[in-house]
Amino acid sequence: LYLFFSMQSRFQEGLEAFGRAVTGLLNPPGGSPTSGRIQPDLVLGKLLVRQGSFCMELGHRAHGQELLEKGFVFLCRSGHRQETAFALIQLGGLAYDEGDYAQARQCHQESLTLCQQAGDRWGTARAFLFLGTAATQLGEYGEAQQYFQASSSICRELGDQILLARALNNLAIVHY
């Protein structure tokens, strides 16, 4: 659902949908406790990070950062590597947008490590892409080139044309 809203640029709808999901998880109908079948930290963390991501897309930076950081805490507690890595990508994007490229690189490097440990190829490709953008801003063009090439290689394996286009575009900028 996150990818649908994100790819369609339906950020407001995504924000509202994930907000309702958070509210429903925290305040279930009838006040019944959360079922033992779900992992509340994992689910709440995923919802908050995605809600925060939509806030950021809509320009609500302070609230977005708050949601991302809260979600990150829940995901760390859950121990789920892929989701924690996703949160780190989002937090790194926030740092990047604020011009803190060293912090962005640190978040993306941690995300890369978690993705590789989890065997998450798509997450690994994304982490390489964002590491490349941080390296570019830091003037480390050789390093950026390696990251973009690694990302594009994985994207080709996965058949992800959208992420591949971003990696190749950034690689062209570095070459330029």
Side-chain angles (χ1 to χ4, degrees):
L1 189 57
Y2 168 79
L3 287 176
F4 170 77
F5 285 129
S6 184
M7 297 297 284
Q8 296 288 318
S9 298
R10 295 167 78 167
F11 307 126
Q12 186 64 42
E13 288 176 76
L15 176 63
E16 292 167 5
F18 282 89
R20 284 190 305 274
V22 168
T23 299
L25 184 65
L26 294 176
N27 304 303
S32 60
T34 303
S35 168
R37 293 178 300 184
I38 66 167
Q39 299 171 319
D41 286 346
L42 174 59
V43 174
L44 186 57
K46 287 173 73 171
L47 293 172
L48 289 168
V49 166
R50 283 152 178 82
Q51 187 183 16
S53 176
F54 289 127
C55 274
M56 299 302 293
E57 290 288 353
L58 292 166
H60 309 301
R61 299 192 63 73
H63 187 56
Q65 181 175 357
E66 178 185 338
L67 291 168
L68 289 172
E69 289 172 352
K70 282 182 184 178
F72 178 69
V73 169
F74 283 107
L75 291 170
C76 286
R77 255 194 336 228
S78 78
H80 195 282
R81 289 181 181 145
Q82 285 173 280
E83 288 300 328
T84 304
F86 181 80
L88 283 164
I89 287 288
Q90 301 302 315
L91 289 167
L94 174 66
Y96 182 91
D97 290 346
E98 293 175 350
D100 190 347
Y101 306 122
Q103 177 64 31
R105 179 173 30 196
Q106 181 180 339
C107 288
H108 298 317
Q109 185 61 56
E110 289 177 37
S111 178
L112 174 64
T113 300
L114 290 172
C115 287
Q116 289 174 326
Q117 289 172 351
D120 177 3
R121 299 291 288 155
W122 186 71
T124 298
R126 289 184 76 225
F128 277 136
L129 176 71
F130 291 114
L131 278 165
T133 58
T136 301
Q137 291 301 320
L138 292 167
E140 298 168 358
Y141 302 113
E143 186 178 318
Q145 179 180 345
Q146 291 175 353
Y147 287 135
F148 293 139
Q149 286 173 333
S151 179
S152 64
S153 176
I154 295 169
C155 291
R156 283 187 180 98
E157 289 173 28
L158 299 175
D160 187 329
Q161 298 297 309
I162 295 171
L163 199 57
L164 176 60
R166 291 179 66 188
L168 292 175
N169 183 63
N170 286 328
L171 185 59
I173 291 168
V174 167
H175 280 290
Y176 177 76

